[in-house]
Amino acid sequence: MASKILPGSFFNKPIQVPSHGFAQSRILRLHFASSRSNKSYRTKIFTVMQQHRASTVKDDSKMKIPHVLTVAGSDSGAGAGIQADLKTCAARGVYCSTVITAVTAQNTVGVQGVNIVPEDFVAGQLESVFSDMHVDVVKTGMLPSIGIVKVLHHSLKEFPVQALVVDPVMVSTSGDVLAGPSILDSFREELLPIADIVTPNLKEASALLGGVQLETVADMRAAAKSIHDMGPRNVLVKGGDLPSSLDAVDIFFDGVNFYELRSSRIKSRNTHGTGCTLASCIAAELAKGSLMLSAVKTPPVSDQPYDTDLEITGRSCKLIIPSTEVPRTSMMDLTMILHMFCRVAKRYVETALDYSKDIAIGNGFQGPFDHLLKLKSNIRNSFRQQVFNPENLFLYAVTDSGMNKKWGRSITDAVKAAIEGGATIVQLREKDSETQDFLEAAKACVEVCHSHGVPLLINDRIDVALACDSDGVHVGQSDMPARVARRLLGPEKIIGVSCKTPEQAQKAWIDGADYIGSGGVFPTNTKANNLTIGLDGLKTVCLVSKLPVVAIGGINASNARQVMEIGVPNLKGIAVVSALFDRECVLTETKKLHEDLRQAASMA
């Protein structure tokens, strides 16, 4: 093929598109040897990864970010294609760059149109990314023309990467044809011989094999072997549409061993983009494990038979071994890693499908699913203020399981009474509860608080806060740092920090907290060995703090006014425990205290 000059390109050099292939070079061949050999390699991989982590900690400014380049088509409905790849990589913690090969008009009904991007512009996109960024893994999706396949092939020869994941997008799950039969020979000749893993669905596997029908798991195994003979290092035949299986079965084949990856079927209309997502997740995991690829280059020398007692955790996996001897020259490489990553990817897709089965986007028969597992929580929490309101700290109710038990109240009844009495924010502080009991109580209290428009925070327990989708957390000086809690919870959650000193208050602000709780102002029985700072200490912290402050510790109806009258504008309220919950009637006590605070605030 003649060289092409990109019109108006700043690259200003011809792009050679050769008609011939190039030699296989990057990926080795994995065979399972004795369990002792496998253990030594797992140890080696772990050691190299630990060394890598240590090196990145030394200089965060040079931290290596895993990078996937996806070469695929755009889906206007955002369920598949480039959009699915971007969302998957984001969910898996990997940077994703894109080269768009086609722009499609599609929705939940099907594909209404395809506009193929010119080959020279695809080449320009590829060179823009490869010439500037360090790409670990390339994942391909829709490649709608022979010329685009050849352009990609040439770019991969010029810019080698750690791994190539080929998702041979020809027929969508909805049945729409996205690449014609003329592309098949180009796939077989140009891409499959250099692919580290190819991930066809049943229709695509059939197309690659000339129309062979795949109706059983045995057919899938035969197809995987036949496709492997075309050159890819590993093959994953996706059997989500297999009519004869009650489970969702995928077949992974490395040239020696077959693996059945099984999971239960999820009944959902929201399955658009599952193939793209699975392949992208594999690519993302490979990018995160790119150092592992270079860590397993030295082959174990063994004359031992295959270890047939292979333990796989999580979803079931069956190992079928066709041979009993390991050649002394066999080399360990990507297959153990890839098999693990395929299992991770399958579990990720299964989790996303299960989460998304009751969402409704579009009117067609095949909707998209939520890659980030966020959409439903956003709907549930739509009442929440987008920015933390410091006025919510006015009457801050902190629960105590011992007190509620003493008075024969459930946690939900106590919280509801406090809110009806005027509490403006609630913190669940259940130090003596088992995690499961705490979580169930938290879920119930979230419903109560949100029905009244009152924020609910969890004391200390980030895991419980995430699991019940509370409005945030309150942490102490010995708990998880606020900056780490923020990374886990996200920017929209409320984070409070207990502070006794100006230095702690300053750190809370730097770490991204929303407010601080300062005290104990007075002696209290609700927290052992709690240092009392008094009103003067509270005022000192307030004057230094750049965050709103709620006073905590020993505050009740007899001294609440004293606290609120110290004369600092960023003191927004008081936090109380026994003054509300160690009383016979929570509603009555909360109303009294709220009125006292209101009067004190009006006189300030």
Side-chain angles (χ1 to χ4, degrees):
M1 181 176 292
S3 300
K4 297 180 179 179
I5 302 292
L6 302 187
S9 169
F10 60 87
F11 302 119
N12 197 30
K13 67 177 182 179
I15 295 179
Q16 304 288 341
V17 185
S19 59
H20 58 277
F22 60 94
Q24 303 180 18
S25 60
R26 293 192 319 282
I27 302 303
L28 311 173
R29 195 62 83 211
L30 168 67
H31 298 287
F32 285 103
S34 66
S35 58
R36 181 178 301 175
S37 298
N38 288 334
K39 182 177 180 181
S40 69
Y41 270 81
R42 289 194 295 269
T43 303
K44 183 177 180 181
I45 291 170
F46 177 78
T47 302
V48 174
M49 291 183 72
Q50 294 290 59
Q51 292 170 348
H52 175 63
R53 291 192 184 101
S55 66
T56 57
V57 170
K58 291 178 182 177
D59 186 358
D60 284 347
S61 66
K62 296 181 180 180
M63 182 177 291
K64 172 69 176 65
I65 303 301
H67 186 153
V68 169
L69 167 62
T70 174
V71 184
S74 172
D75 172 4
S76 57
I82 288 284
Q83 288 82 352
D85 298 340
L86 286 167
K87 288 183 282 188
T88 301
C89 287
R92 302 306 301 160
V94 171
Y95 184 81
C96 184
S97 55
T98 63
V99 168
I100 298 177
T101 60
V103 179
T104 71
Q106 62 178 297
N107 52 27
T108 61
V109 177
V111 179
Q112 291 79 47
V114 177
N115 194 340
I116 298 175
V117 174
E119 296 164 19
D120 56 356
F121 197 73
V122 172
Q125 293 178 74
L126 285 165
E127 188 162 352
S128 288
V129 175
F130 279 134
S131 64
D132 177 56
M133 301 176 180
H134 180 81
V135 176
D136 296 303
V137 178
V138 169
K139 177 262 177 187
T140 71
M142 181 182 178
L143 303 175
S145 74
I146 295 173
I148 287 177
V149 174
K150 290 182 179 294
V151 164
L152 175 61
H153 178 269
H154 175 71
S155 293
L156 290 172
K157 183 177 180 180
E158 184 178 357
F159 300 99
V161 293
Q162 287 281 0
L164 172 63
V165 177
V166 173
D167 186 24
V169 176
M170 301 171 199
V171 183
S172 69
T173 308
S174 60
D176 295 293
V177 177
L178 300 175
S182 62
I183 310 296
L184 292 174
D185 286 341
S186 185
F187 261 91
R188 297 187 192 103
E189 296 170 7
E190 307 280 354
L191 283 188
L192 296 191
I194 63 171
D196 299 311
I197 183 169
V198 58
T199 62
N201 61 28
L202 295 180
K203 294 174 183 177
E204 290 156 353
S206 175
L208 287 170
L209 297 174
V212 175
Q213 293 301 305
L214 307 179
E215 298 178 348
T216 66
V217 173
D219 292 341
M220 291 174 64
R221 289 197 194 110
K225 186 178 186 306
S226 296
I227 294 172
H228 187 273
D229 290 341
M230 298 177 186
R233 281 72 170 170
N234 302 273
V235 179
L236 180 70
V237 178
K238 299 172 294 191
D241 297 324
L242 193 68
S244 63
S245 176
L246 297 177
D247 297 331
V249 184
D250 299 333
I251 296 297
F252 180 87
F253 181 60
D254 62 9
V256 177
N257 302 320
F258 290 94
Y259 303 85
E260 291 181 10
L261 281 64
R262 289 182 176 266
S263 62
S264 58
R265 286 189 180 274
I266 303 211
K267 295 181 180 180
S268 172
R269 66 177 281 273
N270 300 318
T271 59
H272 183 47
T274 49
C276 304
T277 299
L278 185 75
S280 294
C281 187
I282 293 170
E285 298 305 317
L286 280 170
K288 288 191 287 187
S290 61
L291 197 71
M292 297 166 67
L293 305 185
S294 60
V296 289
K297 290 181 179 178
T298 305
V301 177
S302 174
D303 290 319
Q304 300 299 317
Y306 286 99
D307 180 5
T308 57
D309 185 19
L310 180 64
E311 181 180 353
I312 300 294
T313 58
R315 293 292 174 182
S316 64
C317 173
K318 185 191 296 182
L319 174 59
I320 299 96
I321 298 183
S323 175
T324 58
E325 294 298 325
V326 181
R328 289 182 59 87
T329 57
S330 66
M331 303 183 72
M332 180 177 183
D333 67 353
L334 189 63
T335 302
M336 180 182 289
I337 300 167
L338 254 176
H339 173 245
M340 176 177 67
F341 291 164
C342 286
R343 288 176 47 245
V344 171
K346 187 173 179 67
R347 186 173 298 137
Y348 167 68
V349 173
E350 179 187 359
T351 301
L353 287 175
D354 185 59
Y355 175 88
S356 308
K357 60 188 177 184
D358 55 355
I359 66 175
I361 299 174
N363 299 312
F365 66 93
Q366 191 182 41
F369 54 93
D370 180 10
H371 294 72
L372 302 177
L373 312 183
K374 289 285 189 181
L375 294 178
K376 291 196 292 188
S377 63
N378 291 339
I379 293 171
R380 286 198 302 268
N381 302 327
S382 59
F383 82 93
R384 292 176 176 168
Q385 297 168 333
Q386 295 301 307
V387 179
F388 168 64
N389 183 3
E391 302 305 319
N392 287 335
L393 300 175
F394 186 65
L395 180 49
Y396 190 132
V398 183
T399 67
D400 185 284
S401 56
M403 295 176 187
N404 288 324
K405 185 176 181 180
K406 170 184 173 182
W407 293 98
R409 292 185 293 257
S410 70
I411 180 65
T412 51
D413 288 342
V415 167
K416 184 177 180 181
I419 292 173
E420 291 176 348
T424 53
I425 190 168
V426 175
Q427 178 191 141
L428 290 192
R429 184 174 178 269
E430 301 295 299
K431 295 292 187 181
D432 300 326
S433 298
E434 296 292 334
T435 296
Q436 182 61 39
D437 295 336
F438 190 6
L439 177 57
E440 293 305 316
K443 288 179 178 178
C445 289
V446 164
E447 295 296 326
V448 171
C449 288
H450 288 183
S451 67
H452 291 80
V454 171
L456 177 82
L457 308 185
I458 302 296
N459 179 264
D460 296 352
R461 297 289 299 273
I462 308 296
D463 56 337
V464 174
L466 285 167
C468 73
D469 196 27
S470 70
D471 295 281
V473 296
H474 185 91
V475 295
Q477 290 297 315
S478 61
D479 298 322
M480 182 181 293
R483 69 181 183 279
V484 178
R486 176 65 70 202
R487 291 175 194 163
L488 294 172
L489 294 174
E492 76 280 4
K493 299 294 187 179
I494 302 168
I495 297 178
V497 181
S498 296
C499 300
K500 294 181 180 294
T501 68
E503 292 77 18
Q504 292 174 351
Q506 177 70 5
K507 188 175 187 303
W509 178 73
I510 293 172
D511 283 353
D514 293 292
Y515 74 91
I516 64 170
S518 189
V521 180
F522 304 110
T524 175
N525 295 323
T526 61
K527 197 167 186 179
N529 303 317
N530 188 33
L531 176 65
T532 299
I533 64 173
L535 292 173
D536 289 340
L538 172 64
K539 187 171 184 177
T540 298
V541 171
C542 288
L543 290 172
V544 170
S545 176
K546 297 179 181 179
L547 296 171
V549 181
V550 60
I552 58 178
I555 301 172
N556 53 47
S558 67
N559 56 28
R561 285 199 176 195
Q562 286 180 266
V563 175
M564 296 303 294
E565 291 171 355
I566 64 173
V568 286
N570 63 338
L571 178 62
K572 298 299 182 180
I574 61 169
V576 289
V577 186
S578 57
L580 301 184
F581 298 108
D582 198 14
R583 300 291 187 272
E584 183 176 1
C585 183
V586 174
L587 176 63
T588 300
E589 297 300 326
T590 309
K591 284 182 176 180
K592 289 180 181 178
L593 192 53
H594 188 275
E595 179 61 22
D596 288 343
L597 290 175
R598 189 191 65 78
Q599 292 181 13
S602 66
M603 297 175 61

